[in-house]
Amino acid sequence: MKETNTKFGFQTNSIHAGEKRPTIEGAVGMPIFQNSTYEVSGAKSYDSVRYTRLSNTPNHVALAEKLSALERCEEALVTSSGMSAITTALLATVPAGGHLVAQSTLYGGTHAFLTEDFGNLGRTYSTFEVDDMTALERELTRKPAVLYVEAISNPLLKIPDLARIVELGKKAGALLVIDNTFCSPYLFNPSQLGFDLSLHSATKYLNGHSDVIAGVVAGKKALVDKTRLLLNHLGGSLDPHSCFLLNRGIKTLAARMKMHEENAMALAEALAGSPKVKNVRYPGLKSHPHHQRAREYFRGFGGMIAFEYNGTAEETDKFLDRLRIPFVAPSLGGVESLVTRPVTTSHSAILPEHRLKLGVLDNLVRVSVGLEDKNDLIADFLQAL
């Protein structure tokens, strides 16, 4: 059903794209092809052999077609995790001896990969602050192979001037790669703005039920194919059962994102009115420094909130303990609300002095707003405050 890429809307594609008709044995849902290997018939090369590690089984192909339809791009690839998608895509697009320019506020896992592994793999990198285009232009004089940003940064929810990023990156001859996890394809299609690759931790909003670890690389076919070849060597393939669960989760993405946003807006407004809270960061609030960018580039504001508790790290932990509905846990994007102090989870590997420079403070709280009753969530946060 490749035609769904252009013929139908987002919700229709999320349910039907990639799922062939007539279906196997009349099954309405995509079956699980729990096989490692497939019969070979007329294969002309190793690449045409069907094998689970090569990400070309019926479950993988259905997901790739569905994701490319939702991302409105040429091709997509699922991987074993978000970090597998990020590391494999960056190694595939930045050659040995090449340079990467990235924004300074990055997901902790990406930051750790760049600081601890990238150099050992023969690549270099440098960073810029998302609001400092002069610094970016200076870094781009190094002729990087890739310019890398996050659509909404983790955990401070900063939004780059994405159109300007694309303009400057193309002028410098760099490939444009973006982590689109916090937005999901429901809110933003990077390829439509000029990005070459869009990456996701599908563990988060795409799956949406906190029961799958997976990643996505989507964008230009030549670059996705190049990433796939490296993934075949590194072995970061997604197993068929996880493919099935991810495919099932995507079917409700639009419905879930609407409620994530509705709940997050209500909770952000309530938090902003509390004296125990400082610097509420939610792109839907007019007080957010990048609110206008969110309105310009995205179709909504998402389900993530960050704020500073007006107290010490110990007092912040006691506040989290008083919450009754959210789980104190890492990750995000599931139906249940999650809260965490990023300094203890996603950004714990970053040196304290560097976290302070970035603005990731000990009392910073990140909230992944779930699908519970918004009045219950508001009441719970207020009682805990």
Side-chain angles (χ1 to χ4, degrees):
M1 290 182 69
K2 269 286 189 181
E3 69 275 14
T4 56
N5 205 341
T6 55
K7 283 182 64 175
F8 301 120
F10 187 94
Q11 180 61 27
T12 304
N13 278 335
S14 69
I15 295 171
H16 295 291
E19 303 194 27
K20 308 301 182 186
R21 294 187 184 180
T23 61
I24 296 173
E25 296 294 332
V28 173
M30 181 73 184
I32 305 172
F33 290 81
Q34 194 68 51
N35 305 290
S36 62
T37 191
Y38 290 76
E39 187 177 21
V40 175
S41 177
K44 297 180 180 179
S45 68
Y46 180 69
D47 292 336
S48 61
V49 171
R50 285 204 299 174
Y51 188 59
T52 294
R53 181 173 59 80
L54 303 182
S55 303
N56 60 5
T57 73
N59 290 114
H60 291 92
V61 171
L63 266 175
E65 292 188 14
K66 188 184 298 290
L67 287 161
S68 64
L70 299 182
E71 278 279 15
R72 299 172 67 188
C73 65
E74 295 175 358
E75 189 62 87
L77 168 70
V78 290
T79 73
S80 58
S81 69
M83 280 307 301
S84 176
I86 291 168
T87 57
T88 309
L90 292 185
L91 290 176
T93 53
V94 181
H99 187 73
L100 167 80
V101 172
Q103 68 180 65
S104 56
T105 51
L106 290 168
Y107 164 61
T110 308
H111 179 272
F113 172 64
L114 293 179
T115 57
E116 298 173 20
D117 303 314
F118 215 52
N120 294 332
L121 296 169
R123 282 93 166 157
T124 59
Y125 82 98
S126 59
T127 63
F128 69 99
E129 209 286 322
V130 295
D131 285 322
D132 191 346
M133 291 296 100
T134 300
L136 174 57
E137 290 182 273
R138 182 172 62 249
E139 295 302 327
L140 289 174
T141 62
R142 304 176 67 167
K143 299 299 180 184
V146 167
L147 173 55
Y148 180 83
V149 296
E150 295 176 352
I152 302 177
S153 74
N154 185 356
L156 295 174
L157 307 186
K158 294 184 177 182
I159 300 168
D161 186 345
L162 296 171
R164 183 66 171 153
I165 295 287
V166 170
E167 177 188 357
L168 293 176
K170 287 187 178 298
K171 183 178 178 181
L175 293 174
L176 295 151
V177 182
I178 188 167
D179 184 332
N180 197 30
T181 298
F182 273 28
C183 283
S184 87
Y186 179 73
L187 297 183
F188 181 47
N189 298 125
S191 65
Q192 303 303 292
L193 198 61
F195 283 90
D196 298 295
L197 286 179
S198 174
L199 311 180
H200 294 267
S201 172
T203 309
K204 313 306 196 291
Y205 286 112
L206 284 170
N207 178 62
H209 292 80
S210 303
D211 55 8
V212 167
I213 299 292
V216 171
V217 180
K220 292 184 176 178
K221 185 179 188 308
L223 297 177
V224 175
D225 287 345
K226 188 175 183 180
T227 304
R228 180 185 289 106
L229 287 176
L230 183 57
L231 187 76
N232 291 345
H233 297 161
L234 298 179
S237 55
L238 192 64
D239 73 276
H241 186 250
S242 293
C243 286
F244 165 80
L245 290 173
L246 177 55
N247 186 61
R248 185 178 68 172
I250 291 173
K251 290 174 186 286
T252 61
L253 176 61
R256 287 186 283 107
M257 290 304 295
K258 291 175 184 177
M259 195 167 180
H260 281 303
E261 180 172 350
E262 178 184 341
N263 284 1
M265 178 66 83
L267 181 58
E269 290 173 342
L271 291 170
S274 171
K276 293 297 293 181
V277 169
K278 299 186 295 183
N279 299 327
V280 177
R281 297 175 176 90
Y282 179 65
L285 295 179
K286 292 182 179 179
S287 59
H288 190 286
H290 299 149
H291 173 70
Q292 288 304 318
R293 290 179 186 173
R295 292 181 64 89
E296 178 180 357
Y297 297 127
F298 308 147
R299 294 182 287 271
F301 304 114
M304 299 300 299
I305 300 173
F307 64 89
E308 295 162 26
Y309 182 77
N310 194 5
T312 64
E314 293 76 16
E315 290 169 336
T316 306
D317 281 334
K318 290 179 180 178
F319 154 67
L320 296 182
D321 288 340
R322 291 193 295 270
L323 289 167
R324 296 172 297 190
I325 295 176
F327 291 95
V328 180
S331 200
L332 58 103
V335 295
E336 59 284 304
S337 292
L338 303 175
V339 293
T340 187
R341 282 201 301 127
V343 298
T344 67
T345 53
S346 62
H347 289 67
S348 60
I350 299 176
L351 294 174
E353 56 268 28
H354 188 55
R355 289 199 304 256
L356 182 62
K357 182 179 179 181
L358 293 175
V360 182
L361 306 178
D362 288 346
N363 63 341
L364 181 71
V365 175
R366 192 191 69 186
V367 186
S368 173
V369 183
L371 306 187
E372 300 93 349
D373 186 291
K374 64 183 176 184
N375 294 325
D376 291 338
L377 284 173
I378 291 170
D380 189 28
F381 272 83
L382 293 182
Q383 69 80 22
L385 290 170

